[in-house]
């Protein structure tokens, strides 16, 4: 059938299962994503590959899906690769049990392990960055490509009188003396182009209205 040809060519993992979770069809991508040939999965229950720690939540989602013919449910789950390690998948399940042409639950999943690991690593890196900068006695801040404050450490309040959150979302030029905004713009352009710039001494407006070097 046409639909089977399309499923066979899917880059994602596609499965069809009965109401008890027994696999009726598995796309060839299972070997690439799980290290298991589809012939070794058909006729088995998908549950034996899934993380047992998710059983309760998974059972609740399944009950909700079975109660609504034609419904679609998005979810994440962990499945064991042939090498013994769990991979994180994100996908959607479609209740097509009442569909005469399908008569099964269709699940399409994609491996998001690398994305999840990258997000976790970025979160850890940001936490470490803030742990360091929050303890610094010097003012430390980050700007986006437009010169808008994205982050300011607590020392900013002691030096210019603003609480860190007061400057986030505001442009840096609002604090720079009008006679020196050109110097700051040129330095910022150099950083954006070359990744670094020389050190400049400029006047910055304190919250009380006075100018500080």
């Amino acid at each position: 059938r046409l639909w089977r040809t399309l499923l066979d060519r899917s880059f994602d993992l596609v499965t069809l299962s009965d109401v008890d979770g027994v696999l009726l069809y598995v796309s060839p991508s299972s070997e690439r994503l799980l290290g298991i040939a589809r012939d070794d999965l058909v006729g088995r229950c998908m549950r034996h590959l899934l993380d047992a720690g998710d059983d309760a939540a998974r059972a609740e989602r399944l009950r909700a899906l079975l109660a609504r013919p034609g419904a679609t449910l998005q979810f994440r789950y962990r499945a064991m690769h042939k090498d013994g390690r769990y991979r994180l998948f994100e996908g959607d399940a479609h209740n097509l049990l009442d569909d005469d042409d399908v008569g099964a639950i269709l699940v399409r999943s994609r491996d998001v392990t690398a994305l999840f690991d990258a997000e976790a690593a970025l979160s850890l890196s940001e936490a470490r960055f803030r742990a360091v900068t929050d303890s610094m006695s010097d003012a430390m801040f980050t700007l986006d490509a437009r010169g808008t404050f994205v982050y300011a450490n607590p020392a900013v309040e002691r030096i210019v009188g603003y609480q860190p959150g007061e400057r986030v979302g505001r442009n840096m030029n609002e604090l720079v003396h009008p006679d020196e905004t050109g110097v700051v713009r040129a330095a910022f352009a150099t950083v954006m182009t070359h990744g670094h710039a020389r050190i400049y001494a400029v006047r910055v407006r304190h919250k009380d209205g006075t100018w500080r070097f």
Side-chain angles (χ1 to χ4, degrees):
R1 289 186 180 184
L2 176 60
W3 65 264
R4 178 157 186 150
T5 300
L6 294 174
L7 296 182
D8 280 351
R9 295 182 179 180
S10 174
F11 185 81
D12 296 334
L13 177 63
V14 181
T15 63
L16 292 172
S17 60
D18 65 16
V19 68
D20 296 316
V22 176
L23 294 168
L24 308 173
Y25 165 86
V26 179
S27 62
S29 56
S30 65
E31 191 158 7
R32 175 176 52 82
L33 296 171
L34 294 172
I36 307 173
R38 63 173 173 176
D39 290 342
D40 293 329
L41 291 172
V42 173
R44 303 178 64 183
C45 185
M46 184 67 179
R47 192 181 306 113
H48 79 280
L49 290 177
L50 304 181
D51 189 342
D54 300 332
D55 280 352
R58 187 166 54 249
E60 183 177 347
R61 291 194 299 267
L62 180 60
R63 283 194 296 270
L65 183 66
L66 293 177
R68 299 171 56 201
T72 298
L73 177 69
Q74 295 181 330
F75 61 97
R76 279 187 173 185
Y77 66 91
R78 289 170 289 185
M80 184 179 291
H81 191 277
K82 189 176 181 178
D83 63 12
R85 293 180 297 178
Y86 279 103
R87 308 290 297 178
L88 181 65
F89 287 85
E90 183 177 75
D92 44 72
H94 307 268
N95 182 352
L96 302 178
L97 290 167
D98 288 349
D99 188 310
D100 293 336
D101 293 326
V102 182
I105 297 174
L106 169 66
V107 177
R108 182 181 59 192
S109 310
R110 57 189 174 277
D111 189 339
V112 295
T113 307
L115 176 61
F116 180 82
D117 289 346
E119 290 175 346
L122 178 60
S123 178
L124 178 60
S125 177
E126 290 177 344
R128 288 173 175 169
F129 169 79
R130 296 209 173 197
V132 172
T133 57
D134 282 357
S135 64
M136 294 175 62
S137 59
D138 295 333
M140 176 76 179
F141 53 85
T142 57
L143 307 169
D144 66 14
R146 296 184 297 274
T148 302
F149 287 98
V150 175
Y151 162 80
N153 72 343
V156 166
E157 183 175 7
R158 178 177 56 80
I159 295 172
V160 293
Y162 293 95
Q163 294 185 8
E166 291 183 83
R167 299 316 307 170
V168 173
R170 307 295 295 272
N171 194 274
M172 66 174 181
N173 286 319
E174 296 177 7
L175 296 181
V176 179
H177 193 281
D179 293 343
E180 291 154 0
T181 54
V183 173
V184 172
R185 289 194 186 99
F188 190 71
T190 300
V191 170
M192 295 298 294
T193 303
H194 303 290
H196 61 84
R198 54 176 288 200
I199 298 175
Y200 295 88
V202 297
R203 285 167 288 180
V204 176
R205 187 178 65 241
H206 192 278
K207 190 174 183 178
D208 64 12
T210 60
W211 294 98
R212 309 288 178 91
F213 275 101

